[in-house]
Amino acid sequence: MPKKYRTLALSVLVWVNSCGNATTTPDLLDAKGLLTDVTSPAILSPAPSGGGRAPNLTAKLIWATKIPAKYYEVEVTSDAAYQNPISGSPFRVVAPTTELTINLPDAVRYYWRVRTNYNSPGVWSNGYFDAMNSSVHVFCPQASATCDDAGQSGNKSHPFRTISGALAYARSTTVSDILVAHRGGTASYNDTMIVISGVNLKGGYTATFLEADRSMTDANKARVAYSGTVLFALNIIAATTVEGFNMIATGTASTIALVAGSDNNLTLQYNRIETTVAQPGPSYGVLVQNSGTSHATGPLVAHNAIVSGNVATAGSTTAAIRLENSTPRIRNNYVKSGTIVQGITDFLSLSAGILSTNSDPLAVNNVIVANTISGGNFAWSIGVYHFSANGGTYSNNTIATLSSLGNTYALAINGGTGKPLLTNNILFNAAGGSVFYEWNSADNPVSLHNNAFIGDSGGIHYSNSGGTAIRSGNANLANINSSAATNGGATATVAGNITPLSNSCIPFINYAGDDWRLQQNSCSASEWRDLRYGGRDTNAANCGTGSTDCGGVTNDLNATARTAINSGSSPLTNAAGYSMGAYEQD
């Protein structure tokens, strides 16, 4: 080796500092030489100032190379003071590697810093990032006058402040759920919710987003108030659930929640849907259009409270649920229409709990109520109005009208290519008037089994167009079980229906909020049993005691066998039978 190169090699191995002490190669690698860069490594990713998101609870941390580092020290914590390190922190990364991939325990903001082995204590490069899981989080504190998404990533520690912000983010990436915490008190999100097919919208959370703290009570539902339509669920064809919201229309939009072009992948459950202002009309709590072709393919609407608005425009409509060309499954809901004023000639006013048009719903275990009207021949209050429908199955519902004025019916059928099946329902006119109405002689149900018709002697229990009306207190009361008298067709299609014998007693307990149930033995021991608990009667004094059969149906609509009841001294002791109304029980 030429002399000049030997000298250069020696200078690498031994450096003589100004004090005359030699510095070796290991010293140089520990940054003891005078020429070493003693600054910490520059952070490259995630960006130190912008943070950025780490999807799937995984972060890849990258920094710039520093020579002559032997290793790098990396700290990752969930607080800016670096007091809560994640498992494994601090990490040691041997040079020349300048990146570290870590798995993160939760979807929160993390702070990280890096230095070389030779940096002095306290010399670090600092950054932060937001870990994301498959959920997007929304929470705007009650004290916030405005809800702004600036600086919010959508994870637990830095949730979006608006639902629309979360929805926009969900459209740009892969998300399974949008979790919304209630703001507290009566504070609301001012948003419209446009559902994304395959992305669940879930309210009822607290600011911790812990499942254990979640509640579906009205007080804990996430309140969403908007002047227009609050919910759009359009063309939902992948599994999607909307639950835990109090949807409030604050303006004059005709529809609070709109479902269209969706199939059995959509579930709308555990929500409260209502309006706080009078509507010009029409007013629909939930409008379902062109959704489903059979009960198996229709969307599910379950465990909701749905209330449409009061309408002050003559000739208009208010309906808690309106169905158009749809086959939804409607289960365990409280459904109530708003009030409405008198109509005008040829332009009728209508208040209906469910208005079914060209539809075939499956309605089970619902309380369905039509509200009051101001009266007159051009206004109608109808619990379930089956209008030009093509089918429909109604089982174990409590269906009522509240109005004492105008034309009032618990249920009415008017035209259509398919007629409904009615079994185990309580049909109730709260004012004691008419209960059931057929507009045309062909408007008979295909099956009329085990229903209770509750009115009074002055009202019509069953009005069959072209025939003699069936009234309590007159000679043809027994015709409620006559297929000929009810235009029911074959004998097997009409059986087991009951009515009170007079207007001396309407056997109901009215729980808060028009929540009716039959009361045990409220009229006479031989007339009424507690239908909430399987009593099957009617007029036999010993019916339900085990010695007399009380009917012929032993299974409910879901093929669940009605079981024996053991209630001590009750007349229902050991009685096997079905139950009626919205609160069927084994």
Side-chain angles (χ1 to χ4, degrees):
M1 179 184 295
K3 182 177 179 180
K4 65 178 181 178
Y5 293 115
R6 291 197 301 270
T7 303
L8 179 59
L10 182 60
S11 67
V12 172
L13 295 173
V14 180
W15 171 268
V16 180
N17 62 26
S18 58
C19 298
N21 298 318
T23 302
T24 64
T25 297
D27 291 335
L28 289 172
L29 294 176
D30 280 330
K32 294 181 179 178
L34 294 177
L35 302 181
T36 303
D37 180 1
V38 294
T39 60
S40 57
I43 288 178
L44 302 180
S45 179
S49 57
R53 293 183 176 95
N56 304 315
L57 295 178
T58 302
K60 186 175 184 179
L61 311 178
I62 305 174
W63 56 91
T65 299
K66 295 293 286 187
I67 297 176
K70 289 194 298 185
Y71 63 87
Y72 301 92
E73 186 177 359
V74 181
E75 289 189 356
V76 182
T77 75
S78 58
D79 68 305
Y82 293 90
Q83 298 301 305
N84 297 303
I86 67 170
S87 178
S89 178
F91 302 91
R92 176 174 289 195
V93 180
V94 178
T97 302
T98 57
E99 62 182 51
L100 174 66
T101 298
I102 54 174
N103 295 320
L104 302 158
D106 204 358
V108 296
R109 178 164 291 180
Y110 291 95
Y111 300 85
W112 72 289
R113 58 189 182 182
V114 59
R115 68 179 182 179
T116 68
N117 57 286
Y118 60 75
N119 288 131
S120 300
V123 178
W124 298 87
S125 291
N126 296 273
Y128 70 90
F129 59 88
D130 287 298
M132 307 294 292
N133 55 18
S134 60
S135 298
V136 183
H137 304 77
V138 181
F139 173 61
C140 182
Q142 182 179 4
S144 298
T146 59
C147 296
D148 189 344
D149 290 325
Q152 304 302 114
S153 64
N155 62 8
K156 288 183 181 180
S157 61
H158 290 75
F160 285 111
R161 300 295 178 88
T162 68
I163 299 173
S164 55
L167 287 164
Y169 173 72
R171 293 186 185 95
S172 68
T173 188
T174 301
V175 168
S176 63
D177 302 288
I178 295 175
L179 312 183
V180 184
H182 63 87
R183 299 189 61 195
T186 59
S188 303
Y189 295 95
N190 183 24
D191 268 309
T192 185
M193 299 187 292
I194 303 176
V195 182
I196 303 169
S197 186
V199 178
N200 300 315
L201 270 168
K202 302 169 70 174
Y205 288 92
T206 67
T208 65
F209 294 101
L210 294 175
E211 288 294 332
D213 295 336
R214 192 179 183 214
S215 171
M216 292 293 102
T217 63
D218 283 351
N220 289 318
K221 287 181 171 69
R223 291 171 58 94
V224 183
Y226 192 69
S227 59
T229 297
V230 180
L231 179 79
F232 292 89
L234 311 179
N235 303 314
I236 304 301
I237 55 175
T240 307
T241 297
V242 180
E243 65 182 12
F245 292 93
N246 185 181
M247 307 178 202
I248 305 168
T250 59
T252 56
S254 63
T255 301
I256 305 171
L258 173 63
V259 175
S262 299
D263 60 18
N264 58 353
N265 281 290
L266 175 65
T267 297
L268 184 66
Q269 65 183 9
Y270 297 106
N271 302 286
R272 183 174 182 86
I273 300 170
E274 60 187 336
T275 180
T276 57
V277 297
Q279 304 291 305
S283 177
Y284 305 126
V286 176
L287 173 60
V288 184
Q289 298 175 316
N290 306 313
S291 294
T293 56
S294 68
H295 296 158
T297 62
L300 174 62
V301 180
H303 301 284
N304 303 284
I306 304 171
V307 183
S308 59
N310 298 332
V311 172
T313 303
S316 192
T317 298
T318 177
I321 298 177
R322 173 158 187 165
L323 309 176
E324 298 175 357
N325 307 305
S326 297
T327 59
R329 294 159 292 152
I330 304 172
R331 292 181 177 272
N332 302 97
N333 302 280
Y334 175 78
V335 177
K336 184 179 181 181
S337 65
T339 62
I340 201 165
V341 299
Q342 162 72 312
I344 54 179
T345 304
D346 297 325
F347 293 95
L348 305 180
S349 293
L350 172 65
S351 175
I354 294 179
L355 172 57
S356 178
T357 305
N358 296 321
S359 295
D360 179 13
L362 171 64
V364 181
N365 293 115
N366 303 283
V367 174
I368 305 168
V369 182
N371 216 322
T372 59
I373 53 181
S374 61
N377 292 328
F378 304 113
W380 302 80
S381 174
I382 305 174
V384 171
Y385 188 19
H386 213 65
F387 180 71
S388 296
N390 55 20
T393 299
Y394 298 87
S395 177
N396 288 96
N397 302 285
T398 299
I399 305 172
T401 173
L402 298 182
S403 189
S404 61
L405 300 174
N407 302 284
T408 65
Y409 303 98
L411 191 145
I413 306 173
N414 187 357
T417 58
K419 309 306 178 184
L421 179 156
L422 303 171
T423 179
N424 297 28
N425 300 285
I426 296 170
L427 305 173
F428 177 39
N429 190 318
S434 299
V435 179
F436 190 103
Y437 187 70
E438 293 180 0
W439 242 269
N440 310 290
S441 60
D443 287 341
N444 50 281
V446 296
S447 178
L448 189 68
H449 278 94
N450 309 318
N451 301 284
F453 293 82
I454 315 297
D456 63 26
S457 60
I460 299 172
H461 281 72
Y462 195 104
S463 178
N464 54 334
S465 179
T468 302
I470 300 171
R471 301 174 183 266
S472 60
N474 66 14
N476 64 351
L477 180 64
N479 287 341
I480 198 68
N481 288 315
S482 165
S483 59
T486 59
N487 297 325
T491 301
T493 62
V494 181
N497 301 295
I498 56 178
T499 66
L501 299 181
S502 71
N503 64 343
S504 61
C505 173
I506 294 180
F508 277 93
I509 294 175
N510 187 350
Y511 290 81
D514 307 317
D515 185 3
W516 292 289
R517 306 183 191 187
L518 286 173
Q519 180 180 8
Q520 181 174 355
N521 297 336
S522 62
C523 294
S524 68
S526 63
E527 182 179 347
W528 287 98
R529 305 302 184 196
D530 188 344
L531 300 183
R532 289 176 294 158
Y533 296 101
R536 211 192 244 181
D537 181 36
T538 98
N539 300 317
N542 56 353
C543 174
T545 64
S547 60
T548 300
D549 183 17
C550 300
V553 176
T554 57
N555 297 322
D556 70 4
L557 188 67
N558 298 319
T560 301
R562 310 324 301 165
T563 55
I565 304 298
N566 188 351
S567 54
S569 60
S570 167
L572 297 176
T573 301
N574 299 321
Y578 61 87
S579 58
M580 286 184 177
Y583 300 95
E584 67 165 319
Q585 299 183 32
D586 286 333

